Amino acid sequence: MYKTDTICAVATGLGRSAIGMIRVSGPDAISVCDGIFKGKKRISEMETFTAAFGRIMDGDTILDEAVVLVMKAPHTYTTEDTVEIDLHGGTYVVKRVMELLIEKGVRTAEPGEFTKRAFLGGRIDMTEAEAVMDVINAETNMALSASVNQLTGQLRTEIGQLREKVLYNTAYIESALDDPENYSLDGFDEKLDLTIREVIEKVDELLKTSDEGRMIKEGIKTAIVGRPNAGKSSILNLLLGENRAIVTDIEGTTRDTLEEYVSIDGIMLKLIDTAGIRDTADAVEQIGVERARQSVEEADLVLLILDGSEDLTANDVEIMKLLEGKKTLILINKSDKEQLITEEVVRKEAGSDEIIIPMSAVTGEGLDDLKNMIRSLFFREEIDYNNQVYITSARNKESLLNAKHSLEKVRESIAEGLGEDFYTIDLMAAYESLGEIIGETLEDDLADKIFSEFCMGK
Ligand code: GDP
């Protein structure tokens, strides 16, 4: 159990708006709000999940008319008593009511504190808490559905099932070592090895989603490269023109001023080094290649722009050499002009499996092909975004890798026949790493589990 004070925060956006909502949560939420609200009923007498109309009073002064919504513990977002006060959305009145609450002993909430309380209160686990933030930060439909899946506990369920298997085996070993008469370890190694292999397979599946998860959440890092005057800047503008995504801070990432975001049918591209593209003053050939090298290195996707109205140059070919092993789309730009290079010529230099798209930054020709290709390169069509669990945070990826590492050590110990007590250390390490993902503590859990399932004290 934990004790908390009562917190308040403005829950709506700052600035003038139709409604400004203040949320108050904690043991004194109802009594404090009662003290500043004058309606037909007292807040403390209202049923949970009901609203009332009245006035917010600072002594005898009416601050505003308001609707209050009362939600009583434990079935609230934070699991605590919660009151939401809807005011007229002027910045001054919202600020006055906040000050009034603070005067009455309520504290201003820290960022994310309501969600933290939901976690501490046991209503949601860490994956769901993170998903709440992801939903708020989602910039595209795809990012939104990935986070909503996580919000509804899908990742928690999958991780929970894996932990269950690991824990069962640990508990079994402990019981068998304690009470060999009732728990046999005959043939246990083979069974354990099989289970561990299955768990590793699942962990691998989750890990595989982490790149896609990152790209859904933060955007596909895209480099636009090509020699000076090929049309990089024009294509950048074409992409930005109709699809520019206004991206605020994405949680856990630093917003780089050299990046711009484009949303293409729900897929976000994070265009890297766009300042470099626009900065034509130092468009010396060599710098072009050097800059391309750097952007290509960190990119998930490379758009190589060629000028179709001129012959290929040594510079083009040099840039092509950087692209090996990268997902690349080659755009033969300026298709509205007479063409001096053909797809065949490009293919000969670039390799036979390259995707080549004729395009014009002036007429917009090829733009639809470009979008379709990006979609098919990154997101398998058959995936149902509404049901797929994605690993979207680096923290979770690391925990999965740690879990996998520990599980592999268990398999090694089994192969070397080291004996059961050796396995439990690594099994518990894996259990703990997986537990980090959902933010669960280890000890209480293990104890509860062993006692409830195995009745050691029989
Ligand atoms: P960058 O140096 O690669 O960024 O190239 P720019 O985008 O600055 O383009 C170089 C020149 O080519 C400019 O004069 C553009 O107007 C022109 N240009 C770019 N794309 C096209 C195109 O598709 N068709 C035609 N006709 N001209 C283009």
Side-chain angles (χ1 to χ4, degrees), residues 227-234 277 333-334 336-337 360-362:
R227 74 177 144 91
N229 280 322
K232 297 181 293 300
S233 169
S234 308
I277 295 171
N333 190 34
K334 309 195 187 180
D336 55 296
K337 289 168 82 172
S360 166
V362 171

Side-chain angles (χ1 to χ4, degrees), residues 369-386:
D369 290 343
L370 173 62
K371 290 178 181 177
N372 291 337
M373 280 301 171
I374 292 173
R375 183 180 268 283
S376 63
L377 265 186
F378 284 90
F379 301 101
R380 286 155 286 169
E381 291 290 349
E382 71 271 22
I383 281 190
D384 177 0
Y385 291 100
N386 295 320

Side-chain angles (χ1 to χ4, degrees), residues 94 107 166 208 332:
V94 172
R107 174 171 64 77
V166 173
K208 258 192 247 155
I332 307 183

Side-chain angles (χ1 to χ4, degrees), residues 18-72:
I19 302 278
M21 195 251 274
I22 294 175
R23 194 189 229 177
V24 188
S25 175
D28 302 327
I30 288 175
S31 63
V32 167
C33 291
D34 235 352
I36 64 167
F37 178 75
K38 217 176 184 157
K40 273 198 191 132
K41 258 191 190 170
R42 294 175 57 77
I43 293 178
S44 50
E45 288 160 3
M46 287 166 63
E47 298 275 330
T48 185
F49 283 99
T50 59
F53 175 76
R55 290 167 171 172
I56 301 295
M57 308 291 298
D58 181 4
D60 293 331
T61 314
I62 302 171
L63 289 188
D64 196 2
E65 294 182 325
V67 171
V68 292
L69 175 61
V70 179
M71 291 165 281
K72 293 187 178 165

